[in-house]
Amino acid sequence: PISAHPSMAAATPGVPRPAGIGAPRQRSSHLSFPLGPRGGALWQRHAVGAGCPVTAWSHSQLSSASLAAVSTACFRARQTSRSRMASYATAPREAEGGAGPLGVAERYSANDWWQHVIDLPFSRILKRIASQLTFVTVLALGVWYSHREANWPSQQFPVTPLTLCSAALGLLLVFRTTAAYERWQLGQRHAYQLRHNLQQIMHVGRPWLPPETFMAVQAQVRSFPRIIAQHLTGDAGEGFEYGIGPRDLMTRLSEMVAQRCAEPDVPTGALYALDRVQGHISESLRLVTDMERLASEAVPRDYSRHTSRFLTGWVCYLPFVMLDSGDFMPIAVATVSWALLSIEEIGHTLEDPFNSPTQPLRLQAILETGGGAHTLASRPGAPSTYKTGSDLWERTRVDKDGSQTLRSGTEKVAKVAAQAAEAVSGVVAAVSEAADASSLLGEAGKKF
């Protein structure tokens, strides 16, 4: 409808321009931009018309029919823009560096409780604490069977020691997990700050560097995400240059900028801008040092050792104070031990944000995402080769064709139950043999 308006014919040779359109209009508070070859007329974009390809002309320049056509086109453009934004909110962008709304992470809600229950057999934390949890469960089964068959121990132990230690144990676990999460969050913050500084190096230096120098700087900066990711994780990504560290790369960039500043014909504005570039390079080096500290330095080990020993003694004493629970005692001990041991293990896994076995920071993906014209992706506009996957559900499986499916927990639960049954039968057999041996020794003692 817009192309049919007489004003659009102004750019066509031999077609007269409507009156009042030839002179540029005065800019208003709205965003305006020139049409170029269409005679310098300005189109005014309304704030409420985001995504609309046309803008509001003055009523003196358009007839009522043309205004209706413009309004219809704007309405359709807004509807298209809203549908695109809805698709952006539900699916991540395929092209790195493309303009668009930020991809929002999926989050849990209270309605996901059942999904968490059926995901338990696939829990990575459960797999990491399996040995200690199995030991405590077997100990509880042994105490339960011995109490039922041999009446030992004849009565439960006093619960006062557990009560006195529970508060101290709770504080240790909370402090341990909080310290680990703060390190994980600090690593994430450093990653986004590093991305900002790297993008600013290209943004500030682009107007003042010669084209060939800027292309070299851009190539070096865009290789930085792969180099820093390999430096901190030991996992060399696509396009990694062996023997080149993050500090070597920053030194190269600094030398390129210094050579430009040493030229005799550099204007004062260029010196000021290139000094800002050097500042961003220095800040990037500081962030690299802080990220190295998170990867190479651990939480004081004495703190972790004492928490582990304290918790092990607490859960091993637990079966002796829960004898009055009857046959339910082994299940209760296993549940309480699983909850406490998992809290401790979460602190262990989050301590190193870049090499976490359960929730690692996707450093290369963070650095290569976003940025528009100053993106850090090695191939802007191409689909990202960094596979992130979906970690919303722990039973997610990525098939060979790249599709994601949810595995069934039935087989996993049956396998775990069979292993537990074998362990229980082994404990029962061992206790029975011990009881038979003690009875034989008792008879032998009586005969002697």
Side-chain angles (χ1 to χ4, degrees), residues 184-217:
W184 191 91
Q185 192 178 42
L186 188 60
Q188 185 186 54
R189 187 183 308 132
H190 288 340
Y192 280 96
Q193 291 175 351
L194 180 61
R195 185 181 73 177
H196 168 74
N197 282 280
L198 294 175
Q199 290 174 350
Q200 287 296 106
I201 291 175
M202 295 191 293
H203 173 70
V204 178
R206 184 170 190 169
W208 303 101
L209 292 174
E212 60 278 3
T213 304
F214 176 76
M215 294 299 294
V217 170

Side-chain angles (χ1 to χ4, degrees), residues 329-383:
M329 186 268 287
I331 299 177
V333 170
T335 303
V336 174
S337 301
W338 162 76
L340 296 178
L341 294 174
S342 297
I343 295 175
E344 181 195 24
E345 188 60 26
I346 289 174
H348 291 157
T349 58
L350 295 182
E351 184 177 327
D352 184 357
F354 309 108
N355 299 282
S356 172
T358 60
Q359 193 71 24
L361 280 176
R362 301 183 178 100
L363 181 59
Q364 184 176 345
I366 291 175
L367 295 178
E368 291 184 348
T369 303
H374 304 294
T375 178
L376 303 182
S378 56
R379 292 181 299 168

Side-chain angles (χ1 to χ4, degrees), residues 56-137:
W57 290 57
S58 64
H59 289 278
S60 62
Q61 295 174 339
L62 293 177
S63 64
S64 59
S66 299
L67 284 174
V70 170
S71 300
T72 303
C74 285
F75 175 77
R76 292 175 180 174
R78 292 191 194 104
Q79 293 298 107
T80 304
S81 178
R82 289 171 183 170
S83 62
R84 288 176 180 173
M85 292 186 69
S87 63
Y88 274 120
T90 56
R93 287 174 290 175
E94 294 294 335
E96 295 294 343
L102 180 66
V104 180
E106 296 180 276
R107 288 173 171 82
Y108 295 119
S109 67
N111 297 326
D112 298 328
W113 67 272
W114 177 245
Q115 296 288 342
H116 298 315
V117 172
I118 62 179
D119 275 2
L120 182 59
F122 304 98
S123 172
R124 293 183 289 269
I125 295 295
L126 179 62
K127 185 182 298 184
R128 292 177 61 86
I129 65 171
S131 60
Q132 190 173 6
L133 183 60
T134 302
F135 172 78
V136 175
T137 304

